[in-house]
Amino acid sequence: MSADLAALLYLVSGILFILALRGLSSPETSRQGNYFGMAGMAVAVTTTLLVVDLTGMGILLIIGAVAIGGGIGALIARRIAMTAMPQLVAGFHSLVGLTAVLVAAAALYEPEAFGIAAPGGGLKALSLVELSLGTAIGAITFSGSVIAFMKLQGVMSGAPIVFKGQHWLNLGLGIAAAIFIVFLTASGGQAKTAFWIITIIALVLGVLLIIPIGGADMPVVVSMLNSYSGWAAAALGFTLENTALLITGALVGSSGAILSYIMCKGMNRSFISVILGGFGADTSAAGADAGVDRAVKLGSADDAAFIMKNAGKVIIVPGYGMAVAQAQHALKEMADTLKEEGVDVSYAIHPVAGRMPGHMNVLLAEAQVPYDEVFELEDINAEFSTADVAFVIGANDVTNPAAEEDPSSPIYGMPVLQVWKARTVMFVKRSMGSGYAGIENPLFFRDNTMMLLGDAKKMSESIVKALD
Amino acid sequence: MDAVDPNVFRLAIFVLAVFVGYYVVWSVTPALHTPLMSVTNAISSVIIVGALIAAAAATASEGAQFAKGLGVLGVLLASINIFGGFLVTQRMLAMYKKKDKSAGKT
């Protein structure tokens, strides 16, 4: 195949990837979009296989690797629980990062195969810079995603790990990596040790960048690593002079960046402050008036069922607690029972509810909640004043009125769901503890609030029983 | 005037693609942000093209053999991502359903 034809086919592949993302603008077109994505991948892989000179052994190795990898991937995709989606995505990001490192190393050791060898031996300077960036970003993505995976999976505590001089250490490592990139480039690719030093520095940096970021900031971290994996691919797209990689890298990089931005905005935090981390570690400032003895109205499943049965309109606000308790199916059953009683039921989703962008939407979709009953914050916030019941299940900080009323609160200014405007607010919670941000929710102590203490799933099931 | 360096063209493609990505991603509905992450994850595995080139390389030198090994491993890892990413996206997207009018009769 001629190089020109191959380049055009890679362009086709890139366009198919654009269409794949375009399809996600609505659920109806999204499934078709996913097929465009698969087609784009097939075009890219086929084109590459037609361009390279394959030996019998090479074919066998590639088929074997694809069969093993594809089998593992398909198995994971089929088995994974929807509640585990954040850690799955983090795990997949780590693979993209690691693959980027491997490809960069391969290009360094065998530049002829990639057509980037300099005429006098060694590599072109520009290619060296590109592949150094590729391995550095790839390694950061890899180790950062592994840490994110462990935090999300609960293998590692979600609490931020901070120490003195952390940011200076990161800065120093970044500068050291840059020096070694210069050194590698100056050596014309001969100083292969420098390449591995860059990779190791980046691996350490990836760990250091993610450990100070707390559990509640995970949606930002996952989006950010998504973005990094894109930039790593783009850097190698320059090295390999491949349009499909360039376009994809740009798409994925900007996608992750936009998601990070949306998540930060949802928390009213600057991206920089999230990256610097440590949020939620300092609980001393929060809950200053915790000493005041305040009365809480506790309710039972029967009370909740009675109130909701006689309500005209109920808005359900799910949060991470629903995911942890796997309560989405029981919740759907409760909503269905209420609908049979003639109650108008809808769902309100805060942008940062859960541990990744859109986490709650997927879980509700899994429980077969129609997506046209599920609303975003800005679309439903005005509705709370006309609702009889706001049913908050496993969410806390995203409903905290302090974000609007108390300028001294650490979350002041964060957009919140105005559940307190409903006639009655019900909180399904395991305990009276504060949320991830370590801030007390004054709503718990209001007269029109009823606390339903217990496991989200069991509580929903009890309410369903009480409704009958 | 000299001919334009092909790298400049590649930079142009890249910059334009960033803009395309920017506008396309903003049009994604927030309800589909999780599938967006999994599908971007799947398509970023197009890095497999680099791994394929390395895996197919002739093993003339020691460096080439090493590169080939890295390439095969890369193909394996990227395949996990490609199959896993697209299939899990498909599984998720299949769950998004509109309100079923006939369900109200039961």
Side-chain angles (χ1 to χ4, degrees):
Chain A
M1 186 187 288
S2 79
D4 288 339
L5 181 58
L8 286 173
L9 286 171
Y10 284 130
L11 180 64
V12 169
S13 158
I15 288 166
L16 285 167
F17 290 148
I18 293 173
L19 293 174
L21 298 196
R22 184 75 190 87
L24 290 170
S25 58
S26 94
E28 283 106 83
T29 55
S30 63
R31 286 173 274 264
Q32 190 194 21
N34 199 37
Y35 289 120
F36 278 131
M38 292 180 193
M41 189 61 72
V43 170
V45 169
T46 313
T47 306
T48 310
L49 290 176
L50 291 175
V51 169
V52 296
D53 297 318
L54 279 171
T55 58
M57 186 63 187
I59 295 172
L60 279 179
L61 280 172
I62 288 170
I63 291 176
V66 170
I68 296 171
I72 297 172
L75 198 68
I76 295 174
R78 191 166 309 171
R79 293 274 177 84
I80 193 83
M82 282 300 144
T83 42
M85 206 48 74
Q87 39 288 40
L88 178 75
V89 168
F92 278 166
H93 286 155
S94 75
L95 294 180
V96 176
L98 189 55
T99 311
V101 172
L102 296 174
V103 171
L108 178 70
Y109 279 85
E110 184 58 7
E112 285 86 12
F114 290 88
I116 53 169
L123 278 89
K124 296 177 211 161
L126 189 60
S127 304
L128 283 167
V129 175
E130 291 156 1
L131 71 84
S132 303
L133 287 176
T135 193
I137 306 172
I140 290 176
T141 310
F142 171 66
S143 59
S145 298
V146 169
I147 300 292
F149 174 86
M150 291 200 292
K151 285 194 174 199
L152 289 163
Q153 181 73 30
V155 182
M156 191 178 151
S157 159
I161 300 169
V162 284
F163 54 86
K164 225 171 167 227
Q166 197 162 14
H167 305 313
W168 291 109
L169 177 63
N170 292 347
L171 184 66
L173 286 172
I175 293 171
I179 292 171
F180 280 103
I181 291 177
V182 172
F183 186 66
L184 177 68
T185 311
S187 77
Q190 295 309 309
K192 299 207 168 42
T193 321
F195 173 87
W196 294 110
I197 294 174
I198 295 166
T199 309
I200 290 165
I201 292 176
L203 285 172
V204 175
L205 201 53
V207 173
L208 289 174
L209 282 173
I210 305 303
I211 53 168
I213 306 180
D217 286 342
M218 273 303 153
V220 182
V221 171
V222 177
S223 321
M224 190 178 81
L225 291 166
N226 182 244
S227 183
Y228 287 178
S229 68
W231 303 131
L236 289 169
F238 279 105
T239 314
L240 306 183
E241 308 180 344
N242 184 303
T243 321
L245 255 179
L246 273 179
I247 295 178
T248 313
L251 289 178
V252 178
S254 48
S255 163
I258 290 172
L259 289 176
S260 309
Y261 170 79
I262 295 174
M263 294 301 112
C264 287
K265 211 167 136 243
M267 295 190 289
N268 189 37
R269 311 246 334 262
S270 77
F271 186 65
I272 300 296
S273 89
V274 173
I275 298 303
L276 294 181
F279 193 71
D282 178 26
T283 48
S284 59
D289 50 3
V292 185
D293 191 22
R294 286 193 281 178
V296 172
K297 204 157 78 182
L298 294 174
S300 67
D302 293 316
D303 301 332
F306 179 76
I307 295 172
M308 285 199 279
K309 202 181 207 168
N310 294 301
K313 183 167 161 182
V314 172
I315 301 178
I316 298 172
V317 180
Y320 184 55
M322 180 190 80
V324 174
Q326 304 257 13
Q328 64 271 30
H329 300 282
L331 184 67
K332 164 77 160 50
E333 205 187 334
M334 185 190 93
D336 283 347
T337 318
L338 285 173
K339 274 192 257 175
E340 279 165 33
E341 300 281 341
V343 182
D344 175 20
V345 182
S346 51
Y347 299 79
I349 312 275
H350 191 278
V352 295
R355 285 291 178 272
M356 75 183 294
H359 192 183
M360 292 300 121
N361 302 80
V362 172
L363 295 182
L364 292 177
E366 187 198 10
Q368 297 181 332
V369 172
Y371 61 81
D372 38 9
E373 284 178 11
V374 183
F375 299 92
E376 304 302 318
L377 181 137
E378 55 266 33
D379 298 327
I380 201 165
N381 235 355
E383 301 278 313
F384 283 107
S385 54
T386 61
D388 297 294
V389 177
F391 187 79
V392 184
I393 179 160
N396 181 1
D397 295 332
V398 298
T399 64
N400 195 333
E404 292 191 355
E405 295 160 3
D406 179 8
S408 68
S409 171
I411 58 166
Y412 183 70
M414 167 173 141
V416 284
L417 290 160
Q418 298 164 335
V419 293
W420 60 87
K421 291 193 173 160
R423 193 177 298 165
T424 306
V425 187
M426 295 182 190
F427 274 97
V428 180
K429 268 180 115 285
R430 269 181 304 188
S431 70
M432 287 300 295
S434 51
Y436 252 96
I439 306 151
E440 192 164 82
N441 193 337
L443 213 49
F444 297 169
F445 308 100
R446 291 203 180 164
D447 285 341
N448 65 339
T449 301
M450 182 191 272
M451 300 302 294
L452 303 164
L453 296 184
D455 175 77
K457 187 176 173 189
K458 288 200 190 100
M459 182 55 74
S460 306
E461 286 166 351
S462 310
I463 293 174
V464 173
K465 268 196 212 112
L467 281 169
D468 289 334
Chain B
M1 204 173 111
D2 300 332
V4 177
D5 187 323
N7 282 305
V8 176
F9 281 118
R10 279 188 277 276
L11 185 67
I13 294 172
F14 175 70
V15 171
L16 291 175
V18 170
F19 277 89
V20 171
Y22 180 86
Y23 288 106
V24 169
V25 171
W26 271 115
S27 77
V28 172
T29 166
L32 294 176
H33 276 164
T34 297
L36 171 68
M37 301 205 81
S38 63
V39 84
T40 49
N41 194 264
I43 66 171
S44 59
S45 315
V46 74
I47 193 137
I48 195 173
V49 299
L52 285 171
I53 294 171
T59 50
S61 66
E62 210 170 290
Q65 281 167 13
F66 182 58
K68 196 180 179 79
L70 295 175
V72 174
L73 186 58
V75 172
L76 195 148
L77 295 178
S79 300
I80 297 180
N81 237 315
I82 292 171
F83 283 79
F86 281 122
L87 291 176
V88 87
T89 307
Q90 194 175 28
R91 202 180 128 199
M92 272 192 273
L93 292 177
M95 299 185 311
Y96 282 83
K97 298 227 166 65
K98 239 196 160 103
K99 207 176 287 180
D100 187 2
K101 299 294 180 216
S102 63
K105 282 184 282 182
T106 53

